[in-house]
Amino acid sequence: MRLPERVTICEVGTRDGFQIEPEFIPTELKIEVVDLLAEAAVPRIEVTSFVHPKAVPQLRDAEEVMARIRRRPGTRYAALVPNEKGAVRAVDAGVDAIHTVLSASESHNLANVNMSVAESLEKLRAVMRVAERASVSVACGISTSFGCPFEGDVPLAQLERVVGGLVDMGARAIGLADTTGMANPRQVSRTLEHMMARFAGVEWSLHTHDTRAMAIPNILAAMDCGVTHFDSAIGGLGGCPFAPGASGNVCSEDLVHCLHAMGIQTGIDLERLIEVSRRVQAIVGRALPGQLVKAGPSSRRYPLPDTVAARLSRSA
Ligand code: COA
Ligand code: ZN
């Protein structure tokens, strides 16, 4: 397997995660989590989204969150936007990057942003212009890239049309999102090999949900294809309110631990990240899916049972 020396993680827990929490997370706690993530040296954070407050009431405080976080040099602060109004709000709020959203499948795009895919592409053209005027970078995410909870399989040709539409309007960073954890590693490889050959020069990223325990295998498959940008969420928070059956993203600390164990650098302070995950569990008031918070890193050692220690010292 080909593995990169370094990958870039984008933390999406405060957006993908907090958007689906049943209780509104108080603004100051959102700010605290973003600041803690930055202190753990997370290089990219998708802080919030600038969408309609009725569509996602949990993130209705996007402006205030952006205004009050402590900006750490070395961390890029982004927000998700679906249209021009969202882009203008995000730029006014001082984001470093805009992450756009549309789906590869018509039905999920309608459910999520109330537009056909063609309408969404049109709206994103305006988003690109807003971003360009403000010199803010853009990365374009495509939900349901590997399957749709309403339609099932998403044909590769359909995904290719959506990618092509984004590339035509100048997108240089494109994220394929497995919104409800339908992708498998072989499918990820085939999809990426196809897209990489068809669209040269694109910086690809993968946004995974661990709904069916295939997120890390899918990330391994993507790394083998040469992808080095991945989204993940602290504790394994996450889920789309407009995709039935959606559950958490790949867990950030589990992914970082896996990468570091293989000698792949992320620049992230894993010990601190685990502490952030504990804090987030306290904030949401329940245990999260991440394994590392329970098990500790694989460098963890336990005291020897006395009987074993005694036998070892006798035979020494
Ligand atoms: N932020 C705030 N308000 C917005 C907005 C935005 N990004 N985009 C549109 N609006 C407002 C318009 O100004 C308009 O207000 P008015 O009625 O006071 O004039 C109203 O919303 C309707 O505008 P319209 O363009 O018709 O939007 P819509 O009702 O069709 O909704 C979206 C479209 C995209 C705004 C909405 O579906 C949405 O926010 N979806 C977010 C989905 C999401 O975040 N999913 C999870 C992440 S994957
Ligand atoms: Zn997601």
Side-chain angles (χ1 to χ4, degrees), residues 8-121:
T8 304
I9 299 283
C10 178
E11 168 63 45
V12 298
T14 56
R15 195 281 299 168
D16 207 323
F18 287 172
Q19 75 179 4
I20 201 174
E21 280 301 309
E23 302 287 330
F24 178 80
I25 309 279
T27 306
E28 59 272 19
L29 296 181
K30 290 177 176 138
I31 295 164
E32 180 191 338
V33 173
V34 172
D35 288 344
L36 288 173
L37 288 163
E39 282 166 25
V42 173
R44 294 184 180 187
I45 304 176
E46 192 173 278
V47 176
T48 183
S49 64
F50 290 89
V51 299
H52 198 293
K54 284 210 181 95
V56 184
Q58 290 88 337
L59 301 184
R60 61 180 182 265
D61 54 359
E63 270 85 0
E64 195 182 346
V65 173
M66 278 307 304
R68 290 176 46 202
I69 51 176
R70 261 195 321 270
R71 305 287 279 256
R72 185 190 80 101
T75 294
R76 185 173 103 165
Y77 298 87
L80 185 93
V81 315
N83 58 14
E84 183 173 9
K85 174 140 190 185
V88 170
R89 287 176 59 204
V91 164
D92 288 348
V95 299
D96 301 318
I98 280 176
H99 293 174
T100 69
V101 57
L102 93 164
S103 311
S105 60
E106 287 292 344
S107 44
H108 185 261
N109 206 59
L110 269 175
N112 197 35
V113 292
N114 194 29
M115 289 181 264
S116 69
V117 171
E119 283 169 326
S120 254
L121 283 168

Side-chain angles (χ1 to χ4, degrees), residues 12 15-16 19 143 177-179 207-209 231 238-240 247 249:
V12 298
R15 195 281 299 168
D16 207 323
Q19 75 179 4
S143 302
D178 184 21
T179 308
H207 175 99
T208 54
H209 284 263
D231 289 355
C240 174
S247 67
N249 290 94

Side-chain angles (χ1 to χ4, degrees), residues 54-279:
K54 284 210 181 95
V56 184
Q58 290 88 337
L59 301 184
R60 61 180 182 265
D61 54 359
E63 270 85 0
E64 195 182 346
V65 173
M66 278 307 304
R68 290 176 46 202
I69 51 176
R70 261 195 321 270
R71 305 287 279 256
R72 185 190 80 101
T75 294
R76 185 173 103 165
Y77 298 87
L80 185 93
V81 315
N83 58 14
E84 183 173 9
K85 174 140 190 185
V88 170
R89 287 176 59 204
V91 164
D92 288 348
V95 299
D96 301 318
I98 280 176
H99 293 174
T100 69
V101 57
L102 93 164
S103 311
S105 60
E106 287 292 344
S107 44
H108 185 261
N109 206 59
L110 269 175
N112 197 35
V113 292
N114 194 29
M115 289 181 264
S116 69
V117 171
E119 283 169 326
S120 254
L121 283 168
E122 230 9 81
K123 302 268 177 183
L124 295 187
R125 207 174 276 283
V127 169
M128 303 292 274
R129 284 196 293 269
V130 171
E132 196 176 331
R133 274 202 299 274
S135 301
V136 160
S137 61
V138 180
C140 299
I142 307 176
S143 302
T144 64
S145 283
F146 301 95
C148 167
F150 307 111
E151 294 173 28
D153 289 348
V154 171
L156 204 52
Q158 193 173 322
L159 180 62
E160 185 179 329
R161 274 197 298 280
V162 178
V163 172
L166 293 171
V167 168
D168 285 347
M169 69 177 77
R172 288 293 163 264
I174 294 182
L176 302 181
D178 184 21
T179 308
T180 54
M182 294 171 73
N184 66 71
R186 178 165 279 182
Q187 180 190 9
V188 168
S189 301
R190 286 185 178 150
T191 304
L192 282 166
E193 276 164 16
H194 180 88
M195 295 301 163
M196 286 169 148
R198 174 79 180 73
F199 303 100
V202 169
E203 180 193 284
W204 299 95
S205 71
L206 191 71
H207 175 99
T208 54
H209 284 263
D210 205 29
T211 317
R212 296 179 176 83
M214 288 190 280
I216 289 189
N218 287 336
I219 289 168
L220 293 173
M223 285 196 294
D224 189 46
C225 293
V227 173
T228 57
H229 289 75
F230 298 97
D231 289 355
S232 65
I234 190 79
L237 287 171
C240 174
F242 306 100
S247 67
N249 290 94
V250 65
C251 168
S252 297
E253 63 272 20
D254 289 1
L255 175 61
V256 168
H257 176 265
C258 171
L259 294 169
H260 289 187
M262 293 191 292
I264 301 169
Q265 292 173 33
T266 65
I268 294 173
D269 181 334
L270 179 60
E271 290 300 327
R272 281 187 125 151
L273 200 61
I274 294 171
E275 286 312 311
V276 184
S277 185
R278 284 193 217 289
R279 177 70 185 125

